[in-house]
């Protein structure tokens, strides 16, 4: 039931209508791993530079289910850094800067002890890094990737090659439109299925997510909350809850329509906690009992 993720570990500067956070811990791998670890053990494969602050590294120690043996610290390299600013409605954001740092170097290595990983999440990073990881994981049972505008714009060819090799793709509505040229989410999702994956999850912020699976379609509302402080990492923690709950369930058919739909409800719940504070703060405060409580409330809300 081993879950593995590769993606970014970054230093974020974030502005939201509630305030701002300077040089805080972020990154797609970070948010994913923290969220997934609330459900199941998770192995990370990522690189940082020797400028990575010790106080950020210490945050990983607050999540006992995260295995950091695959975290490389590179001498003389710079950690990935990103800045973003959210608009008043918190649904749209503008990227202020992206400093690739270690992402522009050789991809991080998968430790030999991780080679038996079965559940694989390729969080946001360069598609060629995502692809490189796959070749080293022969026992994978379910592989899901995320992507975003930067990679669709600068590495679409590599992304299309990757899509032929994954079971699922998770992306935002705008990114689905950018990738396919289709404005309707269902049409865009079907278009992406033709590119290779068996399912696509189109995320729409506070408007929830749409699952377009070869065996059906499901719409999931977001957990309704007024307490949105910082939406950064909502997508990654959503994916973490999804993959973590799948790994914990150890089902016979992890990629089935029912398995993914249920997992998306867990993703929705963990993401709703994540956005209640900056950086990883909220995820360090909650446990399985909090997740189960909100999951039950959410399940009651969506039952018709
Ligand atoms: P999300 O809000 O779920 O889209 O994730 C935001 C996180 O992704 C931030 O913590 C950033 O450090 C990280 N990030 C931003 N841009 C990229 C990128 N192009 N590739 C990988 N990670 C990124």
């Amino acid at each position: 039931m081993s879950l593995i993720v590769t993606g970014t570990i970054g230093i974020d500067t974030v502005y939201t209508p509630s305030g701002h956070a300077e040089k805080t811990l972020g990154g797609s791998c970070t948010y994913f791993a923290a969220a997934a670890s609330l459900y199941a053990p998770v192995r990370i494969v990522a690189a940082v530079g020797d400028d990575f602050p010790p106080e950020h590294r210490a945050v990983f120690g607050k999540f006992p289910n995260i295995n950091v043996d695959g975290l490389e610290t590179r001498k003389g390299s710079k950690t990935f850094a990103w800045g973003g600013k959210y608009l008043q409605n918190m649904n749209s954001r503008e990227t202020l800067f992206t400093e690739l740092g270690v992402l522009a170097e050789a991809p991080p290595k998968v430790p030999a002890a991780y080679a038996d990983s079965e559940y694989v999440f390729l969080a946001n990073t360069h598609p060629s890094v995502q692809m490189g990881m796959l070749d080293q994981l022969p026992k994978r049972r379910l592989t899901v990737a995320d992507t975003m505008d930067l990679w669709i714009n600068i590495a679409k060819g590599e992304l299309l090659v990757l899509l032929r090799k994954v079971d699922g793709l998770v992306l935002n509505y705008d990114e689905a439109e950018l990738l396919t040229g289709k404005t309707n989410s269902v049409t865009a999702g079907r278009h992406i299925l033709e590119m290779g994956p068996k399912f696509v999850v189109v995320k729409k912020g506070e408007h929830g997510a749409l699952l377009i699976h070869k065996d059906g379609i499901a719409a999931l509302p977001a957990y309704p909350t007024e307490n949105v402080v910082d939406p950064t990492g909502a997508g990654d923690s959503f994916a973490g809850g999804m993959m973590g709950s799948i790994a914990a369930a150890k089902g016979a058919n992890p990629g089935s329509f029912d398995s993914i739909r249920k997992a998306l409800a867990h993703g929705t719940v963990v993401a709703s906690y994540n956005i209640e504070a900056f950086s990883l703060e909220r995820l360090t405060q909650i446990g399985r009992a909090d997740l189960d409580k909100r999951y039950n409330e959410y399940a009651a809300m969506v039952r018709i």
Side-chain angles (χ1 to χ4, degrees):
M1 55 167 261
S2 39
L3 171 61
I4 190 167
V5 57
T6 194
T8 53
I9 292 182
I11 301 176
D12 286 356
T13 295
V14 179
Y15 296 85
T16 84
S18 311
H20 84 280
E22 198 88 29
K23 297 192 172 165
T24 191
L25 175 62
S28 57
C29 176
T30 312
Y31 280 107
F32 176 92
S37 77
L38 297 170
Y39 295 86
V42 53
R43 301 160 161 179
I44 64 175
V45 176
V48 292
D50 53 11
D51 58 346
F52 190 57
E55 64 273 21
H56 288 358
R57 193 180 296 272
V59 174
F60 288 94
K62 297 185 179 172
F63 296 93
N65 262 344
I66 300 182
N67 181 327
V68 292
D69 292 349
L71 172 57
E72 285 176 31
T73 305
R74 295 191 180 160
K75 272 213 161 64
S77 299
K78 289 202 88 124
T79 302
F80 172 76
W82 175 81
K85 184 178 176 190
Y86 289 84
L87 308 186
Q88 197 60 36
N89 69 11
M90 297 267 202
N91 268 328
S92 315
R93 79 174 172 214
E94 191 190 323
T95 289
L96 301 175
F97 63 87
T98 304
E99 292 166 10
L100 292 179
V102 285
L103 287 204
E105 303 170 7
K109 289 196 183 64
V110 178
Y114 286 4
D116 61 353
S117 302
E118 293 174 310
Y119 303 94
V120 182
F121 191 72
L122 307 170
N124 250 308
T125 187
H126 197 293
S128 61
V129 175
Q130 295 177 309
M131 191 70 187
M133 169 119 151
L134 278 195
D135 297 336
Q136 300 176 65
L137 300 171
K139 301 213 166 141
R140 59 188 197 271
R141 293 182 62 205
L142 181 74
T143 306
V144 181
D146 191 355
T147 195
M148 65 192 291
D149 49 1
L150 176 70
W151 310 120
I152 299 170
N153 286 326
I154 72 168
K156 191 168 175 186
E158 287 109 310
L159 180 62
L160 292 178
V161 173
L162 177 78
L163 289 183
R164 285 201 278 278
K165 301 225 166 183
V166 300
D167 300 299
L169 179 70
V170 179
L171 76 181
N172 287 338
Y173 166 77
D174 298 357
E175 295 155 357
E177 182 184 345
L178 183 65
L179 181 59
T180 63
K182 309 287 175 197
T183 49
N184 179 287
S185 314
V186 183
T187 313
R190 289 199 198 287
H191 215 78
I192 295 170
L193 294 190
E194 284 168 19
M195 297 173 180
K198 294 181 200 65
F199 67 89
V200 182
V201 181
V202 180
K203 297 172 290 175
K204 299 179 174 192
E206 74 164 303
H207 304 299
L210 194 65
L211 167 64
I212 298 114
H213 191 287
K214 69 177 181 37
D215 296 325
I217 291 184
L220 287 100
Y223 178 85
T225 175
E226 287 179 291
N227 187 21
V228 185
V229 173
D230 173 17
T232 309
D236 305 308
S237 57
F238 172 82
M242 168 195 167
M243 293 297 284
S245 65
I246 290 176
K250 302 181 208 165
N253 193 357
S256 71
F257 177 69
D258 282 342
S259 160
I260 303 297
R261 187 170 57 150
K262 191 154 191 223
L264 292 180
H266 287 289
T268 299
V269 167
V270 69
S272 77
Y273 276 111
N274 177 61
I275 61 179
E276 291 176 349
F278 279 99
S279 190
L280 279 287
E281 196 186 330
R282 197 68 182 104
L283 295 184
T284 62
Q285 297 165 343
I286 59 166
R288 199 53 211 260
D290 304 287
L291 293 168
D292 291 346
K293 182 170 166 280
R294 198 171 276 189
Y295 182 90
N296 291 333
E297 282 167 20
Y298 179 72
M301 278 175 200
V302 299
R303 198 170 297 131
I304 294 170

